[in-house]
Amino acid sequence: MTLTSFMLLLGATAAQVVSPGIHARGEELQRALSEQPEAPMVVARVENTDKTRVNLIHRTVSQNAIVHLTGWEVHHIVAGTGTVVTGGRLMRSTGADGARVATIQDGESRTVVVGDGVIIPAGTPHWYSEIGESVTYLEIRYDPGSE
């Protein structure tokens, strides 16, 4: 590419109007969580597209383990504490009451607190096996392979 071609390309790119992105105010997200009915997990959606999900998630009880075959996640803890288990093997069974149960065997457990971040690559089982009074985290999921 010649210098002239590069300058023309740069000029064309600079002339395009680009979206400013999304600004999610903390108090608006907290209000969105508090306005929902009480449940074991509530979600304040920030932005959800075909390839990304950005949500503020509030959990009060442990739920089933999960694995996403494609894409990755980041959890940034903003309130509360919990124990997150990652890796290992996803184990599915049926409880005495007939409910489906999913846990992790041979995973790595870590206590998470405010300020911690958890990066979960594609195909990695993950589970909040224990939750203090509650745990709230900003979840960022990105799946470049989904179409």
Side-chain angles (χ1 to χ4, degrees):
M1 176 181 282
T2 67
L3 181 58
T4 303
S5 299
F6 178 73
M7 295 302 287
L8 288 172
L9 178 62
L10 185 60
T13 303
Q16 294 176 352
V17 175
V18 177
S19 168
I22 295 168
H23 178 214
R25 298 183 57 82
E27 60 268 12
E28 292 169 356
L29 293 172
Q30 291 296 335
R31 185 173 47 254
L33 284 179
S34 68
E35 290 174 350
Q36 295 185 44
E38 201 163 314
M41 182 177 90
V42 293
V43 178
R45 299 197 188 298
V46 178
E47 175 71 8
N48 288 289
T49 70
D50 292 343
K51 294 186 180 189
T52 61
R53 293 184 185 274
V54 180
N55 301 302
L56 187 63
I57 297 177
H58 179 77
R59 293 177 180 269
T60 56
V61 298
S62 177
Q63 295 177 309
N64 284 329
I66 191 168
V67 62
H68 307 290
L69 298 179
T70 62
W72 53 265
E73 287 186 40
V74 175
H75 295 184
H76 178 247
I77 310 302
V78 298
T81 63
T83 301
V84 66
V85 182
T86 56
R89 288 186 300 283
L90 187 66
M91 306 299 291
R92 298 181 191 273
S93 62
T94 303
D97 60 356
R100 293 176 13 194
V101 177
T103 60
I104 294 176
Q105 185 177 38
D106 300 323
E108 189 169 306
S109 295
R110 293 181 190 91
T111 298
V112 292
V113 298
V114 173
D116 287 356
V118 181
I119 299 171
I120 306 163
T124 303
H126 52 287
W127 174 39
Y128 283 86
S129 63
E130 297 176 27
I131 294 176
E133 187 174 315
S134 67
V135 65
T136 304
Y137 55 93
L138 181 65
E139 171 198 61
I140 302 167
R141 290 179 58 188
Y142 181 65
D143 189 351
S146 66
E147 292 294 329

